[in-house]
Amino acid sequence: MTPNLSAINLFPLKSGAPLPQQQATVEPRGLVGDRRWMVVDAGGKFVTGRELSRLTLVRATPDGNALQLAAPGMPALHVAAPDPRGARIDTAVWGADVTPLLADAAAHAWLSTFLGADLRLVHMDDACTRRLKAKYDGRYGRDEDVVSFADGFPLLLISQAALDALNAKLAQPVPMLRFRPNLVVAGSAPHAEDGWRCIRIGGIEFEVAKPCTRCVFTTVDFERGERDSAGEPLRTLTTYRRTPDGVTFGQNLIPRGGGTLRIGDAVEVLS
């Protein structure tokens, strides 16, 4: 059986709720609309579901360059696209500097109320670039490679078989979205992606850059906005997916072209 693309997911807000898609457009920094918005604290430090697990309950839906926010018990909020001439803030994502635009005061207040902390919403517009090499010092990718507010790379891919193998070891299975992949591949062996170096999906080539190392965020149930009391699935992953670089699950991708991905597209392993 030829592997195929079985799911596509957008995460418009870093650590926010997932938005499953039937198709998506690929650009150099990842899927269009993926992780272009982020929450920062009053000091400008980026905030994720590692610190505030309820952030996974915030559903951010792109509306052109604007955003619609929704969360349990909160009124829906339309966030206008910040003026490119507006205020920017100096921040960083895992040591990689970036200077996004600040959203309006209403967005800051909405997030602060729901999450119970003094927070700001920022936006990565076209003029805001984050270089991939700033984090990885040339070990992966090319000098011109860029990335969104994602932790490290433009896209994340996981095989369905890898999740099935994990769930066979767990007392309580977890959904694929616990791992927040952009792309899910069906029809391969478990962790087949670990051996891929270059793939093509829907006519678009991707460099398979490095395994995705996993942290406590995998223990957050994104539908409840709470951590798993038993520390799963990370606890079980440490028993068979530990490497010198950490616990790995899935592979990070760098696009080497652009175009549209669709559910059902064949996944060709080029090397």
Side-chain angles (χ1 to χ4, degrees):
M1 179 180 178
T2 302
N4 65 89
L5 191 59
S6 60
I8 302 172
N9 301 299
L10 279 184
F11 301 88
L13 175 67
K14 184 175 179 65
S15 286
L19 296 183
Q21 307 288 303
Q22 289 299 306
Q23 64 181 50
T25 302
V26 176
E27 62 180 13
R29 65 183 83 187
L31 299 182
V32 170
D34 186 66
R35 296 175 173 94
R36 301 301 194 273
W37 298 81
M38 183 172 71
V39 177
V40 300
D41 65 18
K45 182 180 179 181
F46 81 106
V47 175
T48 73
R50 298 168 182 83
E51 302 85 30
L52 295 175
S53 57
R54 279 169 54 83
L55 188 50
T56 64
L57 299 176
V58 178
R59 180 168 295 275
T61 305
D63 181 10
N65 288 326
L67 199 68
Q68 297 285 343
L69 291 178
M74 295 292 291
L77 181 70
H78 175 82
V79 182
D83 187 327
R85 299 165 297 180
R88 294 183 181 270
I89 186 171
D90 292 326
T91 184
V93 180
W94 300 120
D97 293 338
V98 64
T99 310
L101 289 161
L102 278 166
D104 58 37
H108 306 333
W110 191 97
L111 285 166
S112 298
T113 297
F114 180 68
L115 295 169
D118 188 4
L119 303 170
R120 309 286 185 269
L121 179 65
V122 298
H123 175 57
M124 175 180 279
D125 64 340
D126 290 343
C128 174
T129 59
R130 177 177 164 227
R131 302 296 293 272
L132 182 66
K133 71 172 186 176
K135 173 176 170 63
Y136 292 105
D137 194 27
R139 287 178 292 158
Y140 307 101
R142 305 169 183 170
D143 286 349
E144 66 271 21
D145 287 333
V146 291
V147 62
S148 66
F149 289 136
D151 275 356
F153 289 85
L155 295 100
L156 173 64
L157 175 149
I158 301 175
S159 64
Q160 180 62 46
L163 180 73
D164 294 343
L166 168 62
N167 279 336
K169 302 174 185 293
L170 295 174
Q172 182 66 42
V174 296
M176 178 64 83
L177 286 170
R178 183 72 72 90
F179 297 97
R180 307 179 75 77
N182 296 113
L183 308 178
V184 180
V185 174
S188 73
H191 302 290
E193 62 270 29
D194 290 352
W196 300 345
R197 294 297 171 263
C198 182
I199 60 175
R200 182 163 52 220
I201 310 174
I204 307 168
E205 290 190 12
F206 297 88
E207 177 184 340
V208 184
K210 70 177 291 290
C212 181
T213 54
R214 295 301 183 167
C215 68
V216 70
F217 195 20
T218 61
T219 69
V220 175
D221 181 336
F222 66 93
E223 294 180 323
R224 294 187 300 116
E226 298 175 1
R227 286 193 187 181
D228 179 84
S229 59
E232 294 290 9
L234 189 59
R235 182 187 298 274
T236 294
L237 281 173
T238 60
T239 67
Y240 74 106
R241 292 293 298 174
R242 184 182 291 280
T243 75
D245 294 325
V247 175
T248 68
F249 196 80
Q251 290 285 334
N252 291 294
L253 306 182
I254 304 171
R256 294 301 175 214
T260 301
L261 297 177
R262 296 176 176 84
I263 298 294
D265 281 345
V267 178
E268 304 170 72
V269 180
L270 303 180
S271 64

